[in-house]
Amino acid sequence: MQQMVEQALKVLFVASECAPYAKCGGLGDVVASLPKALRSLGVDARVAMPLYDSIAPAKFGLEAEPPCLVNAGGGEINGCGVWRRAGPGEVPVWFIEHNRFFARGGIYDDHGIEFGDNAFRFGLLGMAAAQVCRDREWLPDVVHVHDWPTAVLPVQMDAWRRAGAPLGRAGSVLTIHNQSYQGYSHASALGYLGLGPEYFTADALESWGKINLLKGGMAFADAITTVSPTYAKEILAEPGGNGLSAHLNKRAADFTGILNGADYEVWNPEADRLIPAHYRAESLIGKVVCKQELQEEMGLEEDATIPLFGIVARLTAQKGTGLMRAVLPAALDTLRMHLVVLGAGEGDDENFFRWLAGAYPGRVATTIGYADELAHRIQAGADFFLMPSLFEPCGLSQMYALRYGTLPVVHATGGLEDTVEQYNEGEGTGTGFKFYEAAAPAFHDTLSWAVETWQERPSHITRMREQAMRVRFDWEMSAQRYLEIYRRVAAKHASGAEA
Ligand code: ADP
Ligand code: GLC
């Protein structure tokens, strides 16, 4: 046993997103960068994800591998194509191709309407990933699943363990990136997932007469993590737990919050190929150029003295769009500020930001859509980064903003509380501006405070920027903590004693 752990530990990530192939938000960033950090610690970490039709094999240099046959429950046999990306020094990624499930435009939904068969789609992903491992005789010591889409895999692994199947000997880790999405499905998916009625109980998958995928994963994963210490505390109680806090409390001994890292190979103003000029903490002249070019690109008045606020976000209630709608028009009426927005999401929110750009021409610019390169240019060109999230499990955007010297203005919740240091007006220190009550007056006051600091205490802004740019949320330390968990869970079933 000891010997197995000391050989390269084999960890399979099974996930619905992985940058740069498919990403809706920070989940895709984490599934790309955590395995990379683990590999540099000597772990044989690999990823399995769907081949969505947005992932063109030629564009990403994917190689076709022998297909696999998946025996889903109820005798349904699904043939899946398998593709692989394994460039030198890269994290190997297996892509599961299944046109009926994955070639339909969206990842989770069709323009906001959730696909009704998500439990089947991502259930197939997990079963195919397991089959690929068996076919290649690469049996992981640990399977690491992420959020509701792949949370059912630890439940299936429990069933496989009981049946004596080899993948049942792996340990499992579930990371909760966002507890508010739980993945509900009609109970009819149980058969397809190969799960009997014994798993459809209130302490397993069942919730309000339906399957709750996240709940199942929380019951059966050997270890559960979430992505910041403060969010870990928040979801152990209501309302943060979204109805699952009691269930999670039963697993408290196996649950921990580990702060995400940022990938500074991708997000680094000293080397970022997507921004017009490079800069570093000691010399910010390049940031002035980035701001000017951003103002020009977005059709904003070109005035270096006006603070430019940036938003890059999924436009959804979580991100504080309600607060933004309540506060931004009044703030723009009273404060000397400009705003650049990049986002996509709920129709009403998109319309609000379109309207705002029309109502404040030259002062507000809105781009609706998903645009990675523009996200980098906003991080580099803005002075402040707005993130008034109602809740935020970790948040990567504020970490990137800090690295780019773009001071975050945030609601002190979850990972935002853990990563942003409040401005100390007496000392001129801190890395951002935080408000503690998710209410319009608090948000408005904090925006005013940031603008006033910009105008009245520019030396504080310079000092804060330098401080912010020196902060690091490196993956290495967090990856070490995951490794400790992997070692523990890998040992749990390895003997096969229960099988
Ligand atoms: P979440 O995962 O909740 O969306 P995070 O802050 O953890 O929040 O991660 C957001 C990630 O998604 C960042 O990498 C950010 O740059 C990116 N992102 C969000 N919206 C967009 C968009 N419209 N265009 C480009 N990138 C985006
Ligand atoms: C989720 C959360 C976000 C977190 C990301 C990566 O999307 O909303 O806060 O940073 O996952 O863990």
Side-chain angles (χ1 to χ4, degrees):
M1 176 53 253
Q2 187 62 21
Q3 196 191 0
M4 177 205 83
V5 174
E6 276 163 7
Q7 285 168 6
L9 194 76
K10 298 195 279 298
V11 179
L12 179 69
F13 280 60
V14 185
S16 51
E17 298 179 31
C18 177
Y21 312 108
K23 161 178 160 183
C24 293
L27 170 63
D29 288 344
V30 173
V31 175
S33 47
L34 175 55
K36 189 156 93 175
L38 288 163
R39 287 185 80 84
S40 64
L41 296 178
V43 175
D44 183 1
R46 306 185 185 190
V47 177
M49 65 179 293
L51 184 82
Y52 301 110
D53 48 357
S54 56
I55 305 175
K59 177 177 165 203
F60 288 106
L62 311 189
E63 286 164 23
E65 289 204 341
C68 71
L69 286 180
V70 180
N71 269 312
E76 188 175 331
I77 295 188
N78 293 267
C80 297
V82 181
W83 296 77
R84 187 163 194 253
R85 163 90 203 183
E90 286 179 11
V91 176
V93 182
W94 281 303
F95 297 84
I96 307 301
E97 180 179 22
H98 185 282
N99 287 342
R100 186 160 58 87
F101 280 168
F102 299 133
R104 49 168 83 170
I107 293 185
Y108 308 109
D109 55 33
D110 179 13
H111 300 97
I113 316 273
E114 201 180 310
F115 297 132
D117 56 355
N118 277 340
F120 293 81
R121 297 171 68 230
F122 295 112
L124 175 76
L125 169 68
M127 293 186 280
Q131 189 61 49
V132 164
C133 291
R134 279 197 290 269
D135 291 348
R136 283 144 188 82
E137 294 180 5
W138 183 87
L139 287 179
D141 303 303
V142 179
V143 174
H144 189 163
V145 299
H146 298 265
D147 273 353
W148 66 267
T150 50
V152 80
L153 197 46
V155 188
Q156 293 170 301
M157 286 167 69
D158 184 74
W160 298 340
R161 190 172 301 133
R162 288 169 197 283
L167 215 86
R169 296 206 182 161
S172 58
V173 177
L174 163 68
T175 294
I176 300 170
H177 297 261
N178 194 333
Q179 167 105 321
S180 74
Y181 300 108
Q182 298 178 4
Y184 274 94
S185 157
H186 192 268
S188 63
L190 276 179
Y192 182 80
L193 295 169
L195 296 170
E198 67 276 21
Y199 290 99
F200 194 58
T201 61
D203 54 6
L205 279 165
E206 190 273 336
S207 192
W208 304 104
K210 291 189 146 196
I211 292 177
N212 178 326
L213 296 168
L214 188 68
K215 187 180 181 193
M218 283 166 63
F220 285 94
D222 296 311
I224 306 165
T225 70
T226 190
V227 288
S228 72
T230 295
Y231 191 63
K233 281 187 219 139
E234 289 170 359
I235 60 177
L236 279 168
E238 296 304 331
N242 293 283
L244 288 184
S245 63
H247 192 61
L248 185 56
N249 269 285
K250 289 189 211 146
R251 300 297 317 276
D254 301 310
F255 173 57
T256 179
I258 303 177
L259 195 69
N260 284 334
D263 187 340
Y264 295 116
E265 283 178 23
V266 178
W267 298 94
N268 173 9
E270 295 174 33
D272 189 336
R273 280 179 289 107
L274 303 175
I275 63 176
H278 292 150
Y279 57 94
R280 54 204 157 83
E282 302 74 34
S283 161
L284 287 165
I285 187 73
K287 186 160 178 70
V288 177
V289 176
C290 290
K291 177 172 176 179
Q292 199 181 4
E293 298 237 343
L294 182 63
Q295 285 171 325
E296 190 186 328
E297 173 186 356
M298 305 309 291
L300 295 167
E301 276 168 48
E302 287 173 46
D303 184 339
T305 68
I306 301 178
L308 176 56
F309 287 76
I311 295 171
V312 179
R314 294 181 292 112
L315 297 178
T316 170
Q318 176 195 343
K319 298 295 169 181
T321 50
L323 286 177
M324 298 198 245
R325 284 157 69 167
V327 164
L328 288 176
L332 284 155
D333 286 338
T334 52
L335 302 173
R336 204 166 170 261
M337 62 178 279
H338 285 172
L339 179 66
V340 55
V341 183
L342 167 63
E346 280 154 33
D348 287 355
D349 294 328
E350 293 184 350
N351 286 337
F352 165 74
F353 283 109
R354 283 194 192 99
W355 169 82
L356 203 65
Y360 296 88
R363 297 184 60 206
V364 177
T366 296
T367 303
I368 298 297
Y370 186 90
D372 191 41
E373 302 192 0
L374 182 55
H376 283 247
R377 292 200 294 276
I378 292 176
Q379 290 284 12
D383 299 301
F384 296 98
F385 193 84
L386 275 187
M387 220 163 149
S389 308
L390 297 184
F391 67 94
E392 195 60 74
C394 177
L396 296 170
S397 287
Q398 85 284 4
M399 291 184 181
Y400 305 151
L402 290 166
R403 183 69 190 91
Y404 284 72
T406 304
L407 302 176
V409 177
V410 304
H411 173 219
T413 182
L416 298 174
E417 169 66 352
D418 293 342
T419 56
V420 178
E421 182 186 321
Q422 179 70 304
Y423 170 45
N424 177 328
E425 205 176 303
E427 312 272 320
T429 54
T431 60
F433 298 81
K434 300 204 256 194
F435 58 99
Y436 292 85
E437 190 195 353
F443 178 35
H444 188 280
D445 288 352
T446 308
L447 262 179
S448 311
W449 191 27
V451 173
E452 180 206 294
T453 307
W454 172 269
Q455 282 163 351
E456 311 291 333
R457 294 176 294 279
S459 64
H460 286 190
I461 297 285
T462 309
R463 222 157 116 193
M464 290 174 80
R465 275 187 163 160
E466 285 171 5
Q467 187 180 336
M469 290 181 73
R470 292 206 170 91
V471 175
R472 290 289 182 278
F473 301 99
D474 282 310
W475 264 115
E476 198 188 323
M477 228 164 62
S478 300
Q480 282 284 5
R481 296 200 46 206
Y482 278 104
L483 184 50
E484 284 159 25
I485 293 174
Y486 294 154
R487 288 205 164 113
R488 191 156 43 77
V489 303
K492 196 166 162 193
H493 312 289
S495 66
E498 310 100 312

